[in-house]
Amino acid sequence: MWFKNLKIYRFTTDFSLNTDTLQTELERMVFKPCSSQEIQSMGFVSPVPNGELLFHAANSAIGICLKREEKILPASVVNGELADKVKKIEFETGSPVGKKAQKDLKEDIIQNLLPRAFSKSAVTNAMVLLDRQVIVVDASSDSAAEVVLSCLRKCIDSLPVVPFVKSQQQHILTDWLKHDAPEFIELLDEAEFKSTADDGASAKVKKQDLDADEVLAHIQAGKLVEKIAINYKDRLNCIIAEDISIKRLKFTDLVMEQNEDIPKDEIAAKFDADFSLFSAEIAEFIDDLSKVFAEEQ
């Protein structure tokens, strides 16, 4: 459960989860594969490979995993069959097929194709850090994260959360570049800028010293930092965006080597150790982010 992205949400009231009842609650929406007539299905699965519980708890962290399966029906295939049917009907009747009739035909075609369609599946992990009163989702977009939050909310009835920060933080990220970043953050060699003017001009730099004059010229021209690559305490690298979402999260060898002594065939033990390590690292990272963006809490 090493996340690649972090969408961070804060609880607005004191929140707790009862691990004694959580399994039963998550079973309200346990994952079931698509039936022959379903185009998609989603539900919770065990975050542990071959595990039985639909959650994993270590210390004050609780991990969950939402699985989604979708039938693959290329639009070109559906539209091709629709065109053939419409052509045949119009030839036989001598009358054009109206929009409503075409819509009904399309729905029939989809239902006929579903049992033969291939499917694809994906999982999205999330983690509740109870002692920090936050939940983080391994998603690259707000919409993908909200799907997980919505499903969890249906199971436990209430999930009072708001985004980690209330507003966009381009000015603080820009100040990191203009002046100094916090002592626990090292700026790397990648950034994206966007103009505050109506023209919406943007620029990207990669593999370039961010102290270079040509990079700072973007700020002088009125652009603000939208995304910037950072290293955190030599423990992780990532891209931090203006909404304080984290992308391309990658832990350094300093972290990843800590559990190398656990044999890979001891799957449950390895997962538990990795989850404990990962959750502790993320908790510390969020603690320090909270210091920087305290006024936004």
Side-chain angles (χ1 to χ4, degrees), residues 68-82:
R68 181 172 182 169
E69 181 183 46
E70 293 181 289
K71 293 287 184 66
I72 302 172
L73 281 179
S76 58
V77 174
V78 176
N79 292 334
E81 289 215 10
L82 177 61

Side-chain angles (χ1 to χ4, degrees), residues 80 88 108 123 165 184 198 233 263 265 279 281 292:
K88 181 179 179 181
D108 290 340
V123 297
V165 294
F184 50 82
D198 293 337
K233 294 183 176 179
D265 58 350
S279 60
E281 293 291 333
V292 176

Side-chain angles (χ1 to χ4, degrees), residues 2 255-263 270 273-275 277:
W2 294 96
V255 174
M256 299 302 291
E257 291 175 353
Q258 291 188 39
N259 291 334
E260 282 191 344
D261 59 325
I262 302 175
K270 183 70 163 62
D274 283 348
F275 181 77
L277 175 60

Side-chain angles (χ1 to χ4, degrees), residues 112-125:
N112 289 331
L113 288 176
L114 277 175
R116 293 176 282 156
F118 291 103
S119 63
K120 64 177 181 179
S121 61
V123 297
T124 305
N125 291 302

Side-chain angles (χ1 to χ4, degrees), residues 218-229:
H218 291 300
I219 296 176
Q220 295 167 0
K223 297 184 183 73
L224 297 177
V225 174
E226 290 273 300
K227 298 176 183 178
I228 194 165

Side-chain angles (χ1 to χ4, degrees), residues 69-281:
E69 181 183 46
E70 293 181 289
K71 293 287 184 66
I72 302 172
L73 281 179
S76 58
V77 174
V78 176
N79 292 334
E81 289 215 10
L82 177 61
D84 290 342
K85 283 186 177 292
V86 169
K87 184 177 180 180
K88 181 179 179 181
I89 293 171
E90 290 180 343
F91 177 78
E92 292 175 348
T93 64
S95 301
V97 179
K99 290 185 177 180
K100 183 180 184 305
Q102 288 195 38
K103 181 180 179 181
D104 293 339
L105 282 172
K106 188 172 184 178
E107 290 178 355
D108 290 340
I109 290 169
I110 290 174
Q111 291 303 312
N112 289 331
L113 288 176
L114 277 175
R116 293 176 282 156
F118 291 103
S119 63
K120 64 177 181 179
S121 61
V123 297
T124 305
N125 291 302
M127 178 173 61
V128 180
L129 295 171
L130 291 173
D131 58 349
R132 267 65 175 189
Q133 287 291 287
V134 298
I135 180 170
V136 293
V137 185
D138 184 3
S140 59
S141 68
D142 292 330
S143 58
E146 182 55 42
V147 169
V148 179
L149 299 180
S150 177
C151 290
L152 182 57
R153 191 175 288 116
K154 290 178 181 177
C155 291
I156 63 175
D157 298 328
S158 177
L159 194 70
V161 297
V162 294
F164 183 64
V165 294
K166 298 177 182 178
S167 59
Q168 307 294 292
Q169 300 297 302
Q170 294 98 324
H171 288 284
I172 289 181
L173 299 183
T174 303
D175 282 342
W176 290 1
L177 194 53
K178 289 171 59 178
H179 305 295
D180 288 310
E183 60 181 1
F184 50 82
I185 285 177
E186 175 191 357
L187 302 183
L188 300 180
D189 60 356
E190 185 175 350
E192 294 186 20
F193 303 84
K194 189 172 182 179
S195 174
T196 57
D198 293 337
D199 60 8
S202 61
K204 297 181 181 180
V205 295
K206 195 171 183 178
K207 295 184 179 179
Q208 190 168 357
D209 183 356
L210 298 185
D211 289 333
D213 290 342
E214 58 266 35
V215 174
L216 297 177
H218 291 300
I219 296 176
Q220 295 167 0
K223 297 184 183 73
L224 297 177
V225 174
E226 290 273 300
K227 298 176 183 178
I228 194 165
I230 66 168
N231 171 277
Y232 171 71
K233 294 183 176 179
D234 292 327
R235 304 186 74 81
L236 65 84
N237 296 327
C238 68
I239 299 289
I240 184 167
E242 76 285 353
D243 61 352
I244 317 305
S245 61
I246 305 298
K247 295 178 172 60
R248 285 164 42 190
L249 176 64
K250 186 176 181 180
F251 289 89
T252 64
D253 291 343
L254 186 65
V255 174
M256 299 302 291
E257 291 175 353
Q258 291 188 39
N259 291 334
E260 282 191 344
D261 59 325
I262 302 175
K264 292 183 179 180
D265 58 350
E266 295 183 12
I267 297 175
K270 183 70 163 62
F271 183 93
D272 184 62
D274 283 348
F275 181 77
S276 297
L277 175 60
F278 166 75
S279 60
E281 293 291 333

